[in-house]
């Protein structure tokens, strides 16, 4: 377990560290107008930011709001570019070292070396073990209702203060949390929001593992799965966990939270999983088909080359390679140059 964070702020607050944070923040965004503008005078901006943080004059700016529809309708709140540099600096120098080592190994979202594919494969491995040990077993699939919007910032800050004792780091974290005036909710889009969300539900993770003694438990942000032998045991776990998240974290499970027989398999991280097969969910198939149809048309009318189309499909290929989709690939890519 990592030690508490003390006396680290001044050591980490350097021009070079802030410049490193800028370099990481601009990755894959160097053609954005706000990044181009920042780079024209980056030395001046970084020096100004260093002085603002050092003198505690730094104030987090507002947000630009927009909506995305994939994988579902979400409101994204984008910080100013200079604030995103602060988020990266705070994450790299304080948050990652303080909290990531204390996450359970079955937590997969926004953690280096983890991710959706690893989560899905580990769930399948757990299902195989349960099949071998028990034959039939039960699956509890859990989903938090409006997770990011429901996080109580007062509770979150109390959790953070148990690990971070440096008053200057706490000042900066509070400045980030208070950038939205409401007492509940984190902006989807901030790097710091991702780790804060993991820190928050880590309380439930350890309750499940230590208090409820659940062996087969897996979580990807607010989606999680428990595998157990007996139905009465998994019902008891669901009831006790519901009480815990209601009372301790002020959260609620949504209507998709339910118990299934093992033979039904489970939807998790975009896959339909059973012990021996992992298929793309229907939503995922439709998304891939829609994208390929669009790219074929772009190539046909001369607005895109085959090589450019391949780049657009790279993410889909990475997602698809873990699933049993030979027939789908054959249908989609027959006689194509992709």
């Amino acid at each position: 377990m990592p030690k508490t964070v003390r006396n680290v702020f001044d050591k980490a607050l350097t021009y070079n560290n802030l410049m490193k944070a800028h370099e990481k923040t601009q990755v894959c965004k160097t053609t954005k107008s706000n990044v181009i503008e920042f780079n024209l005078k980056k030395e001046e901006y970084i020096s100004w930011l260093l002085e603002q943080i050092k003198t505690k004059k730094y104030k987090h700016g507002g947000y630009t709001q927009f909506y995305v529809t994939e994988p579902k309708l979400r409101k994204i709140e984008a910080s100013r570019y200079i604030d995103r540099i602060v988020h990266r600096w705070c994450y790299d120098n304080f948050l990652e070292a303080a909290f990531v080592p204390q996450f359970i190994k079955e937590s997969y979202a926004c953690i280096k070396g983890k991710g959706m594919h690893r989560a899905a494969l580990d769930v399948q491995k757990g299902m195989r073990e349960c099949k071998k040990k028990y034959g039939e077993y039960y699956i509890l699939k859990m989903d938090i209702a409006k997770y990011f919007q429901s996080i109580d910032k007062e509770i979150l800050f109390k959790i953070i203060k148990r690990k971070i004792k440096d008053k200057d780091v706490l000042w900066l974290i509070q400045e980030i949390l208070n950038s939205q005036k409401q007492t509940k909710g984190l902006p989807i889009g901030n790097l710091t929001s991702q780790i804060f969300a993991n820190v928050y539900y880590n309380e439930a993770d350890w309750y499940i593992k230590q208090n409820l003694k659940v062996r087969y438990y897996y979580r990807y942000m607010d989606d999680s799965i428990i595998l157990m032998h007996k139905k009465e045991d998994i019902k008891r776990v669901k009831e006790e966990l519901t009480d815990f998240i209601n009372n301790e974290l002020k959260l609620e499970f949504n209507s998709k939270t339910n118990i299934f027989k093992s033979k039904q398999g489970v939807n998790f991280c975009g896959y339909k999983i059973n012990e021996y097969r992992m298929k793309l969910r229907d939503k995922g198939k439709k998304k891939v088909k829609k994208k390929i149809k669009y790219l074929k048309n772009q190539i046909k009318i001369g607005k895109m080359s085959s090589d450019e189309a391949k780049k657009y499909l790279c993410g889909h290929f990475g997602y698809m390679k873990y699933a049993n989709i030979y027939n789908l690939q054959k249908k989609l890519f027959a006689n194509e140059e992709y």
Side-chain angles (χ1 to χ4, degrees):
M1 193 70 70
K3 296 179 181 179
T4 54
V5 176
R6 302 176 187 272
N7 306 319
V8 293
F9 189 83
D10 290 338
K11 185 178 179 180
L13 184 56
T14 67
Y15 176 92
N16 286 339
N17 281 344
L18 286 171
M19 186 61 77
K20 286 178 185 176
H22 158 59
E23 296 296 338
K24 286 186 177 182
T25 304
Q26 72 169 342
V27 170
C28 299
K29 299 180 179 68
T30 52
T31 58
K32 299 282 188 181
S33 59
N34 57 346
V35 179
I36 292 171
E37 182 182 344
F38 189 92
N39 277 323
L40 290 173
K41 295 183 178 180
K42 64 181 180 181
E43 292 84 3
E44 293 178 34
Y45 285 130
I46 293 296
S47 296
W48 177 83
L49 183 59
L50 175 64
E51 184 63 22
Q52 291 293 301
I53 295 174
K54 184 181 291 185
T55 59
K56 304 293 190 300
K57 293 179 182 177
Y58 168 74
K59 295 292 181 184
H60 194 289
Y63 293 88
T64 301
Q65 298 182 355
F66 60 94
Y67 290 85
V68 297
T69 57
E70 295 291 345
K72 60 183 179 182
L73 182 66
R74 293 178 187 270
K75 182 173 77 171
I76 305 297
E77 296 178 271
S79 303
R80 300 179 306 171
Y81 181 73
I82 201 164
D83 293 323
R84 297 204 295 273
I85 294 172
V86 176
H87 297 167
R88 169 55 70 178
W89 177 73
C90 185
Y91 178 86
D92 287 351
N93 289 278
F94 313 121
L95 300 176
E96 183 179 32
F99 293 107
V100 173
Q102 73 173 15
F103 294 158
I104 64 169
K105 65 183 180 65
E106 297 87 357
S107 177
Y108 299 90
C110 310
I111 301 172
K112 291 176 185 176
K114 300 285 189 74
M116 295 174 69
H117 303 142
R118 184 74 264 156
L121 290 169
D122 283 356
V123 166
Q124 187 179 54
K125 181 182 176 183
M127 293 172 77
R128 286 175 181 166
E129 290 181 10
C130 288
K131 182 71 173 178
K132 186 176 180 180
K133 286 166 64 175
Y134 310 128
E136 295 300 317
Y137 58 94
Y138 290 87
I139 302 167
L140 172 57
K141 174 71 167 63
M142 298 166 286
D143 193 358
I144 301 295
K146 298 180 179 178
Y147 181 52
F148 275 78
Q149 299 97 309
S150 301
I151 291 173
D152 188 301
K153 288 190 278 193
E154 184 177 342
I155 295 173
L156 172 61
F157 196 61
K158 287 179 181 177
I159 295 168
I160 290 170
K161 286 196 295 183
R162 296 205 303 259
K163 183 59 59 179
I164 294 180
K165 304 298 183 182
D166 188 306
K167 60 181 177 59
D168 294 320
V169 177
L170 290 173
W171 160 76
L172 181 60
I173 291 172
Q174 201 154 40
E175 178 62 34
I176 293 170
L177 290 177
N178 290 343
S179 60
Q180 287 181 308
K181 300 306 178 185
Q182 62 265 36
T183 58
K184 280 197 169 189
L186 298 176
I188 298 174
N190 282 354
L191 174 64
T192 47
S193 294
Q194 295 171 5
I195 191 166
F196 289 154
N198 268 333
V199 167
Y200 199 73
Y201 208 78
N202 188 53
E203 300 293 296
D205 292 343
W206 282 107
Y207 177 77
I208 291 165
K209 300 294 281 187
Q210 291 186 332
N211 295 66
L212 301 181
K213 308 296 183 185
V214 173
R215 178 174 179 180
Y216 296 103
Y217 167 66
Y218 312 86
R219 179 172 69 85
Y220 190 91
M221 198 53 76
D222 57 319
D223 291 340
S224 53
I225 285 174
I226 287 174
L227 311 175
M228 295 188 78
H229 181 203
K230 297 179 180 179
K231 189 172 184 179
E232 57 266 31
D233 289 337
I234 208 165
K235 287 177 68 176
R236 173 186 54 80
V237 163
K238 183 187 176 198
E239 290 172 4
E240 293 184 24
L241 180 56
T242 299
D243 286 343
F244 179 85
I245 69 162
N246 289 168
N247 297 324
E248 301 299 324
L249 299 178
K250 310 302 180 188
L251 299 173
E252 294 181 357
F253 288 127
N254 67 17
S255 59
K256 291 185 286 186
T257 297
N258 217 331
I259 296 170
F260 305 92
K261 291 181 178 179
S262 58
K263 64 182 180 182
Q264 294 176 259
V266 66
N267 292 327
F268 189 58
C269 289
Y271 300 99
K272 177 72 173 181
I273 308 170
N274 66 25
E275 294 90 357
Y276 305 106
R277 290 182 65 84
M278 196 151 66
K279 298 180 180 180
L280 291 185
R281 295 178 63 187
D282 290 340
K283 270 197 308 187
K285 289 179 185 178
K286 288 178 182 177
K287 184 178 177 181
V288 172
K289 290 176 180 178
K290 183 178 178 182
K291 176 66 74 174
I292 289 172
K293 183 178 179 181
Y294 167 78
L295 293 174
K296 284 180 179 178
N297 185 60
Q298 292 296 295
I299 293 171
K300 185 177 180 179
I301 63 178
K303 289 192 173 182
M304 185 178 292
S305 69
S306 293
D307 286 340
E308 289 172 325
K310 286 179 184 177
K311 292 179 183 178
Y312 276 95
L313 285 173
C314 278
H316 292 294
F317 285 147
Y319 176 59
M320 292 164 66
K321 73 178 183 179
Y322 292 92
N324 307 109
I325 53 159
Y326 173 76
N327 290 333
L328 176 63
Q329 284 180 308
K330 189 175 179 181
K331 181 179 178 181
L332 291 176
F333 303 122
N335 302 319
E336 295 298 334
E337 297 182 12
Y338 300 111

